[in-house]
Amino acid sequence: MPELFHRYPGNPILTAGDWPYPANSVFNPGATRFNDEVLLLVRVEDFQGLSHLTVARSPDGRSGWRVDPEPTLLPDPLRHPEEFWGIEDPRIVFLEEEGLYAVTYVAYSRGGPLVALATTSDFRTFHRLGPILPPEDKDASLFPRRFRGRWAMIHRPMPTSPGARPNIWISFSPDLRHWGDHTVIIEARPGGWWDSDRVGLGPQPIETPEGWLILYHGVRQTASGRIYRVGMALLDLEDPRKVIRRSAEWVFGPRAPYERVGDVPNVTFPCGAVVDPRSGELLMYYGAADTCVALATADLRTLLDYLLHAPM
């Protein structure tokens, strides 16, 4: 398999030691471009074990990171009881029709993790729309535009029935609040596959001429624990329920020491990506071992060529 992603030599790009206030770990950032910079909305775990979100900015998306001096988005369990045990793992999409950034995130309620939504124009003040899918559900992102008048969202419910595996679903909404037409689009493969235990969305969907590029995490349960790797799929541009291609092999996985050793070992978990429109370079930001933030880069055209011709 070709080396599609290249680790940034300066990895990890953000650690708890870079934070202006005490933190146990920083990981799983959403990513977007904002004011000619790369903006990360980073999951920060405190010393209670609960998480909140904090912004970090960089002019080139690699170095020179400036971290907000205080948490950007804290859980608010008094007004939003679904956030009782923290907020986690954001994905960011700019909704041009609304002129707002939409942030889907995991709100950890007393009843389990669920998908919540907030919007912002400046990453300083946020309007919470509250829970949009019930527990247990994670790994959600909106698409940046409507399909036949409806918004679409990818997410990953956690079934409890014996033999059922966590798969990737898509749902639709007329108003960003009420969701239906729930459909499985990417299943965890049975048996000994690298993504046989569960699958879940990575960064937000990326629009390309060939389709929506989906980077997803796949998990395999081994004798020494789970391994989180990254695979790819391509969805139809006008009907994202249709999967055009899906890679048989993982394209990125734990290898470096900071990915192998940490609070949760053997984890590469991307939640955000940005694409340089001039060069076609894709910057994938991921949590490494649930401990730090790292960066891997790839050429978007190379990723698409691989996906269109790789074994399925």
Side-chain angles (χ1 to χ4, degrees), residues 10-51:
N11 275 348
I13 58 172
L14 290 168
T15 70
D18 299 313
W19 243 240
Y21 57 88
N24 172 61
S25 56
V26 298
F27 54 114
N28 297 5
T32 191
R33 292 193 181 275
F34 181 73
N35 287 346
D36 297 322
E37 294 186 301
V38 172
L39 181 147
L40 302 183
L41 193 55
V42 184
R43 175 180 173 182
V44 182
E45 185 180 273
D46 64 22
F47 288 98
Q48 297 179 94
L50 307 182
S51 293

Side-chain angles (χ1 to χ4, degrees), residues 10-278:
N11 275 348
I13 58 172
L14 290 168
T15 70
D18 299 313
W19 243 240
Y21 57 88
N24 172 61
S25 56
V26 298
F27 54 114
N28 297 5
T32 191
R33 292 193 181 275
F34 181 73
N35 287 346
D36 297 322
E37 294 186 301
V38 172
L39 181 147
L40 302 183
L41 193 55
V42 184
R43 175 180 173 182
V44 182
E45 185 180 273
D46 64 22
F47 288 98
Q48 297 179 94
L50 307 182
S51 293
H52 60 266
L53 307 178
T54 298
V55 163
R57 299 173 173 85
S58 165
D60 63 1
R62 292 170 168 80
S63 59
W65 293 97
R66 308 185 316 280
V67 181
D68 278 5
E70 297 177 344
T72 306
L73 188 61
L74 281 166
D76 186 5
L78 291 180
R79 286 182 290 185
H80 296 274
E82 71 276 5
E83 299 177 356
F84 185 77
W85 282 315
I87 55 179
E88 309 172 353
D89 300 353
R91 278 80 170 178
I92 307 169
V93 170
F94 181 66
L95 305 179
E96 186 171 358
E97 177 183 329
E98 304 289 326
L100 293 169
Y101 292 87
V103 181
T104 43
Y105 59 95
V106 175
Y108 214 114
S109 74
R110 293 175 185 265
L114 56 81
V115 176
L117 174 64
T119 59
T120 183
S121 61
D122 57 9
F123 290 95
R124 296 189 183 279
T125 59
F126 293 80
H127 171 61
R128 285 171 163 93
L129 281 75
I132 54 176
L133 290 173
E136 288 197 1
D137 213 325
K138 287 186 170 187
D139 302 326
S141 176
L142 296 176
F143 287 77
R145 61 176 174 86
R146 295 179 189 253
F147 301 89
R148 297 182 180 178
R150 300 189 299 172
W151 300 104
M153 179 174 59
I154 292 177
H155 58 106
R156 201 280 310 281
M158 289 287 292
T160 58
S161 299
R165 294 186 303 277
N167 300 320
I168 296 175
W169 292 62
I170 191 169
S171 300
F172 295 88
S173 169
D175 57 7
L176 295 176
R177 291 180 180 272
H178 305 92
W179 294 85
D181 283 357
H182 312 295
T183 305
V184 175
I185 55 173
I186 299 175
E187 296 189 54
R189 286 180 271 222
W193 285 80
W194 65 273
D195 53 0
S196 58
D197 184 69
R198 66 186 63 185
V199 290
L201 181 69
Q204 71 278 15
I206 299 168
E207 188 169 9
T208 77
E210 283 79 8
W212 294 96
L213 176 63
I214 301 299
L215 302 174
Y216 72 92
H217 64 262
V219 183
R220 181 178 182 180
Q221 180 70 52
T222 73
S224 60
R226 292 189 174 104
I227 303 176
Y228 281 74
R229 302 182 175 104
V230 180
M232 298 194 298
L234 198 63
L235 309 182
D236 185 82
L237 274 179
E238 299 308 322
D239 186 356
R241 294 171 298 181
K242 297 179 180 178
V243 179
I244 300 171
R245 302 284 297 182
R246 179 184 179 184
S247 62
E249 302 167 320
W250 72 80
V251 296
F252 191 78
R255 191 172 67 193
Y258 52 85
E259 300 160 351
R260 292 284 194 184
V261 179
D263 281 0
V264 183
N266 294 317
V267 172
T268 50
F269 194 96
C271 284
V274 297
V275 177
D276 186 324
R278 293 165 296 182

